[in-house]
Amino acid sequence: MSTTPPPQQTKPPENRIISYHKIRLAVGIIGMLLPFCLWILNAIINESGILHNPLWITFSDGYDAGDNLKDSISHFYYSTVGELFTGALCAVSLFLFCYRGYDRPAYGKYHKIPGDNFMCNFAGAMALLVVIFPTSADPCMKDNFRAFVATDATGYIHYGAAVLFFVALSIISFVNFRRTKEPENFGKNKSHHIFKKCAIVMFSCMLILLVLFISDVTWSDDYNLTYWLETVMLVAFGISWTVKGQIDQQLFHVNYFGNGVVEEE
């Protein structure tokens, strides 16, 4: 009596594709939530007075909390939620390094812009530089939770890396996410308008920040304009990546987002 072995169950190839989509969703969600989580958690820690309890931490002179909302997102590095700031950026950087995406198309509009892999790796490297080289801070900050205070030179590296990080994210949203299997259909899908608007928002906020930096206005600190402009950029970045992840996950069984790569016959 012969028995036939049960058919071997193989893992569907779509699992790898879905994992890329989940990475997009994770990157987008972290980007959107980060500025609000930093503000809220810093306020909770400061207002609860938990750092005055020796059960948790001991200061030689006591901890004097500053403003709950900082001038910029980067200044949260020196606050009670500095680990959340660095951890979130490291997570985004790791996801960007792991995400390969699609190759550069052979022809079509903006075909000279590098593919997803290069752009994401570049953005991930800039995110790491933002973490490694924190923004410059006033040595007299009363709520400096870190032993390390960045110099002006370190701050310039931080600013440069942050600018390149957002520039890369804007290009990814404006170009890479709007590519299709047929290069002539670049930017013609319904979702492409969302990516374009997100990129325009990020570019516009960077332009306003540049004007504020060059004009050296002081009143912007009174309204935390840098923080709010950075928040708008992160929300736009998060929306772009979240929408891209959801759309691709719904259509992963269709070779619809081939990004202009010519398939072999």
Side-chain angles (χ1 to χ4, degrees):
M1 183 177 178
S2 61
T3 58
T4 57
Q8 295 182 353
Q9 296 182 352
T10 59
K11 201 171 185 179
E14 290 85 1
N15 285 348
R16 182 186 63 172
I17 302 175
I18 292 175
S19 68
Y20 284 140
H21 305 153
K22 289 182 178 179
I23 287 178
R24 284 177 181 161
L25 290 174
V27 170
I29 291 173
I30 292 174
M32 285 189 291
L33 294 181
L34 178 60
F36 304 105
C37 288
L38 291 173
W39 182 12
I40 294 172
L41 290 178
N42 189 47
I44 291 175
I45 294 174
N46 288 339
E47 299 302 328
S48 65
I50 191 173
L51 293 180
H52 294 283
N53 190 334
L55 179 64
W56 301 106
I57 193 168
T58 301
F59 289 93
S60 59
D61 299 325
Y63 177 73
D64 190 8
D67 295 333
N68 296 327
L69 181 61
K70 301 303 179 185
D71 294 337
S72 70
I73 293 177
S74 297
H75 278 92
F76 279 102
Y77 169 84
Y78 298 101
S79 70
T80 61
V81 290
E83 285 79 8
L84 176 61
F85 170 76
T86 56
L89 280 183
C90 286
V92 169
S93 177
L94 176 62
F95 286 140
L96 289 172
F97 280 128
C98 292
Y99 177 74
R100 184 183 182 279
Y102 301 106
D103 295 329
R104 182 174 67 88
Y107 61 97
K109 197 172 184 179
Y110 301 115
H111 74 278
K112 293 185 178 181
I113 300 294
D116 295 3
N117 188 33
F118 176 87
M119 294 302 301
C120 289
N121 285 341
F122 180 80
M126 293 303 102
L128 279 183
L129 288 179
V130 170
V131 174
I132 296 173
F133 299 94
T135 185
S136 55
D138 185 355
C140 299
M141 284 176 60
K142 62 180 180 179
D143 64 339
N144 190 338
F145 207 70
R146 302 287 168 271
F148 172 75
V149 178
T151 62
D152 289 340
T154 305
Y156 290 139
I157 298 176
H158 175 91
Y159 300 144
V163 169
L164 292 176
F165 174 69
F166 280 113
V167 167
L169 296 180
S170 301
I171 294 175
I172 291 172
S173 183
F174 189 83
V175 177
N176 297 75
F177 282 179
R178 299 170 67 211
R179 287 171 172 167
T180 60
K181 182 180 178 181
E182 295 81 14
E184 57 271 13
N185 293 329
F186 175 87
K188 294 182 179 180
N189 295 335
K190 292 182 178 180
S191 60
H192 291 177
H193 297 293
I194 299 177
F195 305 140
K196 181 179 180 180
K197 290 178 180 177
C198 289
I200 292 175
V201 168
M202 285 188 276
F203 275 123
S204 300
C205 289
M206 283 188 286
L207 219 72
I208 296 174
L209 283 173
L210 179 62
V211 172
L212 293 176
F213 178 78
I214 294 176
S215 58
D216 195 22
V217 294
T218 56
W219 55 265
S220 62
D221 295 338
D222 299 332
Y223 300 98
N224 306 98
L225 283 185
T226 301
Y227 168 86
W228 290 114
L229 288 171
E230 290 175 341
T231 298
V232 171
M233 285 191 290
L234 285 176
V235 170
F237 150 67
I239 291 174
S240 177
W241 279 73
T242 302
V243 170
K244 182 64 173 175
Q246 289 178 339
I247 291 175
D248 279 13
Q249 189 163 352
Q250 293 170 0
L251 301 175
F252 72 90
H253 57 284
V254 180
N255 191 6
Y256 191 69
F257 293 93
N259 285 21
V261 179
V262 179
E263 296 181 347
E264 296 180 359
E265 297 293 339

